[in-house]
Each structure stands twice: as structure tokens, then as C-alpha cells.
Amino acid sequence: MTDDIDKTAGPAPAPAAGPEAIRAIPVRHYGRYVSALVAIGLLGSIVWAFSQGRINWGAIPDYFFDDRVLEGVGKTLLLTVLSMLIGIVGGVLLAVMRLSKNPVTRAVSWFYIWFFRGTPVLVQLVVWFNLGLVFEYIVLGPLYKDEWSDFMTPLLTVLLGLGLNEAAYMAEICRAGLMSVDEGQTEAAHALGMSHSKTLRRIVIPQAMRVIVPPTGNEVINMLKTTSLVSVVQYAELWRITQDIGQVSGAPVEMYFLAAAWYLVMTSILSVGQYYIERHYAQGSSRQLPPTPWQSFRSTVLSVSSRKGAQA
Amino acid sequence: MTETVPMVRAENVHKSYGHIEVLKGIDLEVSKGEVFCLIGPSGSGKSTFLRCINHLEKVNAGRLYVDGELVGYRQKGDKLYELKDSEVARQRRDIGMVFQRFNLFPHMTAAENVMEAPIQVKGVSKAAARERAHHLLERVGLGDKARNYPAQLSGGQQQRVAIARALAMDPKLMLFDEPTSALDPELVGDVLDVMRDLAESGMTMVVVTHEMGFAREVGDNLVFMDGGVVVESGDPREVLTNPRHERTQSFLSKVL
């Protein structure tokens, strides 16, 4: 039992007196220089064309940090976070229901996904908004009674519309994740006497996360952009507010560019967050995780400064 | 010894997948403290039978008892009632299982793998579970690998962690499903050493294996299965050296 094969130790140190290292002249990639020039040229001409257009670019920085715009950005983020929460919780539930042994929950889940994935989210939003035609009052036993139109605030309409639609998509993502976990994992957990729910929570879901997180990041970014649709039900988020400002200030097109820039800023920040969440769930999957950009930046700076130190 | 209940008792056990009958009436008994080896060609149903013992597979006909308790069902009068999931889980707590492909939890370190079931199933405190895990890893010769993830361990090391994980539940019976078949030849010995130690400590073990040397040396009883039936059984040394049945002879002539 003594001669373990130890894979944890690093590679054996290279022999001291090895053969001379090869110094060869690398292949020149002229195609790369040419394609870089073409790409830069195209980009430059597009930028030039836009700068010559009849667009008052100066209006954008004027309004970029306008209080109304910032409020719209906040509302957009709020909508994204809350509807994704509804979507993720609902999606996990639906996926578990879909994979359960109970035929009733399986059918309910199938029907839900069929309906919400099969109709446009814009249509769903408008239907939620007008549901007062069907239900005049909302009554929760003796606890609560109100008119539907008072109960169904624009925020609630929008959250239900976006969140319930998202749940259908998240359900499919979660289902794929749960199914990606090797069946041997469930068997091993069951053989140890773990219950179905503990097996799911402790063994299967943590491993499924590795498959679930990347497309979920995609969904978050998608959701952030989809929130712009809710302007149709009178909810004032970034897109609606920039449109309103555009109407009043007489610079409507400029405000579209402003909105686009804000959406880009927000999605860029979300992408960075996604990268770190993916790393977290990669635990134990590969022998060594590649360094984060920050880590490689730091190690580069440190090695440069230590080299300088050595020269001094 | 004759008075005690056998650890495993199979009475006419049948199992089929659709129209394919994998087990065609298995009768056997495993006494407490013995090492019981199952050999046979692939597809002979030996792994399926092993998986029936802890109800990972449902038996279609016949009865299977572990320590006198019917596996997976409750008998009242002449009616059989299926056990609830929680009752099946309770039965499985006392039966350890080691798989051909290890099935360690890849998102947990070796120590966490061993600690998981005692904490989640038995409600052992984290500190106590950790101490026990280190003790068990020490016992399988991996005291220094507690913090490693399965991907950082060799196959033989992973399988020994899997054995420690099963032992952490203090099972009265251990099932081994071809524990060395997925290993490089040079790593097989380490796993067999651990199993030999376990046998010497008096653990009841049912081992599906292709390691005839292990069966001969450590086994108390050996069964040769083929086509879903028990062809021949008896003392391993006797069966392996003087097989009586023709099919046993031809199988052994190929593997020995």
C-alpha cells in the first residue's frame, strides 16, 4: 500500500544539464496584419459616418447621469433581479416536478412550460395587464379583498409577466442540468441511506449548477434587455424614460443611443459576475483552475517588479 | 452459528427488464461474518443480484432478506406492501456499497465525501464526523489525502475513499460491485489489501469480482453464476481448483 501513484505532486524537476533549448525564428503571419488593417479601416469608417450624421452627440453626456435616467437604470435592474428570482425559483420547481415520479406534477409542469414558452412574452404582459376584465375583485378568504385594478400594480403585472415566462425557460435549463449529473451519483447517495430530497439538494443540484450557470447568465442578460418591453404596460424603466426625455428635449434619437450605452454597461458588468460564479461551481472539476484576469494581472505585475528588483 | 439468522437470504429471486429475464431464481445464504464471492461471465446477473440486496433494483418475484428483514417490502398476512422511500432509505443505512466506477461526489473533498452521510442521515455533529472521517481515511491508507478532491486522486485512491465512505455509516453488510475492474493493474493490490483487512475485522462482505486470487485467499464461500442462475457453489478453493460443472470449467479456463 506504500507505492501510491501520487498525482498531486507537480511534475518532476527538469534535469539540470538538459539539451540546449531550441531557438527558432517563428513563422510570420502576414495574413493577420492584413486582416487587422481591414478590420480597423472598416470600424473607422463606420465611426466616421456616424460622427458626420445629423446627430447631436453632445446631448448624450448631458443626460447620461440625469436623475430620471439613473432612476430608469435602477428600475431596469430591479425588474431584472426580481423577475430572474421568480424565474429561477419557479424553474427549479418546474424542473424537479417534470423529473418526478408523480404523473400529476409531471403533467402540470409540462403544461406550464408548453403554455408560457409557446406564447410571446409581449402578449403575456398585455394579458396580465388586462386581467381585470376577467377578475373584478381579488379575494383571499376573510384576509384580503380588493379591486383587481388596485391590486395589480404595474410593477406586479410586469414581474408576473416576465418572471412566469422566464420560469418556463429556466425549467428547461435546470432539467438539462439535473439530467447531466451521472446516475451513479444518485445511486451512491441512495446506497448511503440519503433521502430523495437530500440527494437532490446535497449531491445532484450542486453538480448540476456547473451546467446550469452559463445558460442562466445568458438568461439574465437576455432578461435585462427584455425589460425594455414593459414600456407597453406603462411601467417607467430605462427605455420608457429615455423615450419620454427624447420627446420633451427634442433629441429622441440621441436618447436611443444613450439607452443602448446604458444597456451595454449593465450587461458588461453582469458578464464579469457570471465569470466568477462559474468558477465557484467548477470546484473539484478540474485539477487546477486557470487564474482570473485579476490574478494573472497581479502575477504579471509582481513578476515584472521582482525582475526589476533583481536587476537593481 | 446454526441458530443465528443469515445476513442475506435469497429465496427464488427473479428479476427481469422488460422481456429479458436477468435473474431466474436465485437461492443462496450469506452467514454473518463471511466473505461471499460472486463470479461469472458478464451478463450473468451477478451485479444485478448485488443491487437487489440494497433495493437499487426491485425484485420481480421471490424474497430477499437482509438480517431477517424483508428488503423493500412489508409482509402482512399473505399481502406484500411496498415500503415508503424513507423506509427503504432506513434499510440501506446498514448496507454499505462500493461501486465499480467509485461514484465519489466530485464536488466534495475526500474527507467531505466520508462525512456527508453520517451528518445528513444520522445527524452526527460535524466535528465528530470529521474526526471519524480522518480515522477511516487513515485506515485505508489515505490519511494525507483528506483535503484532496476526487479528481486529484488515482483510481485506487478513489476506490479506497469510497470504501471509507461506506464504512462511515457503520454497516453490518458491505456489497462490492467489481471494485477493482476499473483500476490499472498496479493499483488493484492496494484496494484488495483494504478489503482483506476489512474481512479480517469480521465484516460480512458480498463481493462481485474477477479477482480469483482474492476469492481463493479471502473468500469463505463462492458462487459461480451464469445466465441468471447459480451454477455451482461451495468453498472457493474447491470450486476454483476442481470445478464440477462444465460451464464453470470453461469459464475458469478462460480467466485463470
Side-chain angles (χ1 to χ4, degrees), chain A residues 1-8 101 182-196 198 201-204 206-207 210 283-287, chain B residues 51 54 56 85 89 92-93 95 97 99 103-108 116-117 120-121 140-141 145 148-149 151-152 154 157 160 165 169 186-187 190 193-194:
Chain A
M1 219 186 279
T2 44
D3 46 345
D4 280 341
I5 295 211
D6 197 337
K7 297 193 182 176
T8 52
K101 281 187 278 185
D182 180 28
E183 218 170 325
Q185 294 290 311
T186 312
E187 279 185 356
H190 282 172
L192 286 165
M194 289 172 76
S195 65
H196 278 309
K198 281 221 167 98
R201 212 155 26 104
R202 299 280 312 168
I203 308 300
V204 177
Q207 294 182 59
R210 242 164 56 207
Q283 222 170 40
S285 66
S286 58
R287 299 191 180 183
Chain B
R51 293 161 59 83
N54 67 355
L56 282 179
D85 287 342
R92 285 178 180 145
R93 279 162 65 157
I95 307 173
M97 184 154 190
F99 298 87
N103 293 350
L104 287 182
F105 306 134
H107 58 303
M108 299 181 184
E116 182 67 10
Q120 296 297 327
V121 179
V140 299
K145 301 284 185 231
N148 287 45
Y149 284 98
Q152 298 167 322
S154 74
Q157 291 170 336
R160 284 185 278 154
R165 178 176 70 174
M169 290 297 283
E186 57 174 337
L187 304 177
D190 294 339
D193 283 342
V194 169

Side-chain angles (χ1 to χ4, degrees), chain A:
Chain A
M1 219 186 279
T2 44
D3 46 345
D4 280 341
I5 295 211
D6 197 337
K7 297 193 182 176
T8 52
E20 204 181 319
I22 291 177
R23 284 164 204 269
I25 290 140
V27 178
R28 303 281 182 220
H29 298 280
Y30 297 107
R32 291 182 191 174
Y33 300 119
V34 175
S35 52
L37 281 176
V38 171
I40 291 169
L42 275 173
L43 193 67
S45 56
I46 290 171
V47 169
W48 185 80
F50 268 82
S51 68
Q52 296 303 303
R54 279 172 290 130
I55 294 169
N56 175 20
W57 294 106
I60 295 177
D62 286 351
Y63 284 99
F64 204 77
F65 294 109
D66 187 289
D67 283 347
R68 285 168 294 172
V69 170
L70 290 183
E71 197 197 326
V73 168
K75 289 271 180 64
T76 293
L77 286 174
L78 180 80
L79 281 187
T80 308
V81 170
L82 291 182
S83 11
M84 273 318 287
L85 270 180
I86 297 174
I88 289 171
V89 172
V92 171
L93 274 177
L94 285 165
V96 171
M97 283 166 72
R98 186 86 192 268
L99 294 172
S100 95
K101 281 187 278 185
N102 181 338
V104 180
T105 59
R106 248 188 355 240
V108 169
S109 170
W110 180 89
F111 178 82
Y112 182 99
I113 295 169
W114 171 77
F115 182 81
F116 281 93
R117 215 173 46 162
T119 51
V121 65
L122 186 57
V123 175
Q124 288 173 28
L125 280 169
V126 177
V127 169
W128 278 110
F129 191 60
N130 292 302
L131 223 50
L133 298 175
V134 184
F135 306 102
E136 213 166 326
Y137 295 100
I138 176 159
V139 181
L140 295 178
L143 295 171
Y144 184 85
K145 181 173 192 265
D146 204 348
E147 282 192 35
W148 185 266
S149 51
D150 289 342
F151 167 75
M152 214 49 180
T153 58
L155 177 66
L156 196 56
T157 312
V158 163
L159 284 183
L160 284 176
L162 294 177
L164 296 186
N165 180 263
E166 184 56 32
Y169 285 91
M170 282 308 300
E172 291 296 276
I173 291 172
C174 294
R175 190 165 71 99
L178 293 176
M179 288 194 307
S180 75
V181 179
D182 180 28
E183 218 170 325
Q185 294 290 311
T186 312
E187 279 185 356
H190 282 172
L192 286 165
M194 289 172 76
S195 65
H196 278 309
S197 57
K198 281 221 167 98
T199 302
L200 201 60
R201 212 155 26 104
R202 299 280 312 168
I203 308 300
V204 177
I205 289 180
Q207 294 182 59
M209 288 307 273
R210 242 164 56 207
V211 175
I212 293 174
V213 167
T216 302
N218 214 16
E219 289 296 307
V220 174
I221 286 168
N222 236 330
M223 176 60 82
L224 187 108
K225 296 180 294 174
T226 309
T227 54
S228 60
L229 285 183
V230 308
S231 56
V232 298
V233 291
Q234 313 303 320
Y235 188 81
E237 40 61 69
L238 178 60
W239 178 237
R240 176 94 203 168
I241 286 174
T242 47
Q243 274 180 305
D244 289 349
I245 295 176
Q247 299 293 330
V248 177
S249 68
V253 182
E254 288 75 2
M255 290 304 113
Y256 298 161
F257 282 105
L258 182 145
W262 263 114
Y263 281 115
L264 263 180
V265 167
M266 288 189 278
T267 51
S268 306
I269 293 169
L270 287 177
S271 311
V272 174
Q274 181 187 359
Y275 175 82
Y276 281 93
I277 294 174
E278 274 175 34
R279 276 178 68 87
H280 172 77
Y281 284 107
Q283 222 170 40
S285 66
S286 58
R287 299 191 180 183
Q288 179 129 42
L289 292 168
T292 61
W294 171 241
Q295 282 168 344
S296 57
F297 171 75
R298 264 186 45 175
S299 67
T300 319
V301 170
L302 285 179
S303 72
V304 168
S305 62
S306 70
R307 218 177 297 152
K308 272 184 189 159
Q311 281 167 355

Side-chain angles (χ1 to χ4, degrees), chain B residues 11-174:
Chain B
E11 294 173 358
N12 196 24
V13 168
H14 285 257
K15 170 73 193 174
S16 38
Y17 298 103
H19 295 298
I20 303 159
E21 199 169 28
V22 185
L23 299 177
K24 299 170 182 165
I26 304 285
D27 290 281
L28 55 79
E29 257 181 37
V30 179
S31 341
K32 282 178 181 156
E34 96 172 320
V35 176
F36 193 97
C37 295
L38 285 166
I39 63 167
S42 59
S44 60
K46 51 196 193 313
S47 286
T48 306
F49 177 70
L50 196 74
R51 293 161 59 83
C52 288
I53 297 177
N54 67 355
H55 209 52
L56 282 179
E57 304 287 351
K58 272 187 191 170
V59 170
N60 293 116
R63 298 281 189 277
L64 195 53
Y65 299 90
V66 169
D67 206 7
E69 203 179 337
L70 189 58
V71 174
Y73 302 93
R74 187 187 300 109
Q75 186 145 21
K76 266 188 190 167
D78 54 355
K79 276 191 184 147
L80 270 189
Y81 295 88
E82 250 181 58
L83 290 186
K84 282 187 286 187
D85 287 342
S86 58
E87 292 168 313
V88 174
R90 189 188 50 74
Q91 286 188 334
R92 285 178 180 145
R93 279 162 65 157
D94 300 331
I95 307 173
M97 184 154 190
V98 175
F99 298 87
Q100 183 178 355
R101 308 228 23 101
F102 329 135
N103 293 350
L104 287 182
F105 306 134
H107 58 303
M108 299 181 184
T109 63
E112 285 166 353
N113 264 279
V114 181
M115 292 157 63
E116 182 67 10
I119 292 175
Q120 296 297 327
V121 179
K122 284 190 167 172
V124 174
S125 78
K126 209 169 176 185
R130 189 181 299 280
E131 202 187 312
R132 184 80 206 288
H134 282 274
H135 180 76
L136 284 167
L137 288 173
E138 206 75 59
R139 182 170 166 190
V140 299
L142 295 171
D144 54 335
K145 301 284 185 231
R147 287 164 179 277
N148 287 45
Y149 284 98
Q152 298 167 322
L153 300 172
S154 74
Q157 291 170 336
Q158 288 190 52
Q159 193 60 297
R160 284 185 278 154
V161 173
I163 294 174
R165 178 176 70 174
L167 290 177
M169 290 297 283
D170 298 311
K172 54 189 178 190
L173 167 67
M174 284 281 283

